[in-house]
Amino acid sequence: MATLQSLDRGLRALSLISLAPEGLTVAEIATQLGTDRATAYRVVDTLEQHALVARGVGKKIRLGAGAVVFASRFQPQLIRAAGPVLQELADAAGVAAFLSLAQGDDACVPVLSAEPARQTIFQVSYRIGAGHPLDRGANGIAILALQPAAESDSEAVGRAREAGYSVTAGELQHGAVGVAAGFEVPHLLGASVGTVAMGEVDVDRLGGLVREAAARLARLSRA
């Protein structure tokens, strides 16, 4: 498929910057894009003109206010509804909770998270905006389980469809256990809400909690 090279570079740069909390230098952006610095400077300058990035301390490039504006326009009713629901889920479960959305036919991207008010010793690092294959991780499998049954379904998808929630261990992070339930959202390919924790967890209890959260978010997204 043909692509617009300059647009592709700009979007790739924006994605790289979004995944770097401390920001990236132009040299680092050039290296990761596989371009020279002059090209990277033009990409950054263009993004800066649209307020999508900003230069911070040490001339490091970070997301700008324009990116926040775009985010606020994306399914605002779902994002507004998800915050309180995720926080309640995290507090009830005692572990981190996440909202994920399908991206295309084969990727899953976490877009929102919440930590329990009472912090635990072991915290799971889960990067918002960092996509992973849809068939790996509890959140992605929960989304696949929303689809009609097919011969190509994995055992994990079949189990998730039967139970109403998915369970995975160590697929995205060593030692982490994910439990998630999928739900339908108007105009989106699929969404899921889940928890992730280190070590042993009460899967049945978490399964009930994520199913309840998913049902609430499905209703609120249609309101």
Side-chain angles (χ1 to χ4, degrees), residues 127-138:
R127 299 176 70 181
I128 297 301
H132 59 79
L134 200 58
D135 59 358
R136 292 188 59 201

Side-chain angles (χ1 to χ4, degrees), residues 190-209:
S192 66
V193 59
T195 61
V196 62
M198 300 298 291
E200 295 184 3
V201 297
D202 185 338
V203 170
D204 291 336
R205 176 173 175 272
L206 291 181
L209 290 174

Side-chain angles (χ1 to χ4, degrees), residues 28-181:
E28 290 170 333
I29 293 171
T31 298
Q32 295 190 44
L33 288 179
T35 66
D36 55 49
R37 292 194 187 187
T39 299
Y41 270 111
R42 289 197 297 272
V43 169
V44 170
D45 286 344
T46 301
L47 293 174
E48 190 173 25
Q49 288 175 24
H50 292 275
L52 293 173
V53 301
R55 299 173 194 266
V57 178
K59 296 184 177 180
K60 288 199 171 185
I61 313 301
R62 295 178 174 82
L63 286 181
V68 178
V69 172
F70 278 122
S72 68
R73 294 172 180 167
F74 176 73
Q75 289 291 332
Q77 67 274 27
L78 174 60
I79 299 301
R80 284 197 298 268
V85 174
L86 279 184
Q87 190 59 60
E88 290 179 22
L89 173 60
D91 290 340
V95 297
F98 296 89
L99 171 69
S100 296
L101 302 178
Q103 180 171 294
D105 295 328
D106 56 6
C108 180
V109 179
V111 297
L112 200 64
S113 68
E115 298 287 342
R118 182 177 180 180
Q119 295 295 314
T120 57
I121 296 176
F122 299 106
Q123 298 296 319
V124 179
S125 175
Y126 207 84
R127 299 176 70 181
I128 297 301
H132 59 79
L134 200 58
D135 59 358
R136 292 188 59 201
N139 282 4
I141 291 172
I143 292 174
L144 288 175
L146 295 172
Q147 302 173 6
E151 292 185 3
S152 58
D153 288 341
S154 66
E155 291 184 7
V157 171
R159 289 195 298 268
R161 189 177 290 119
E162 182 178 348
Y165 60 88
S166 62
V167 181
T168 62
E171 290 197 356
L172 299 178
Q173 184 172 336
H174 180 70
V177 178
V179 181

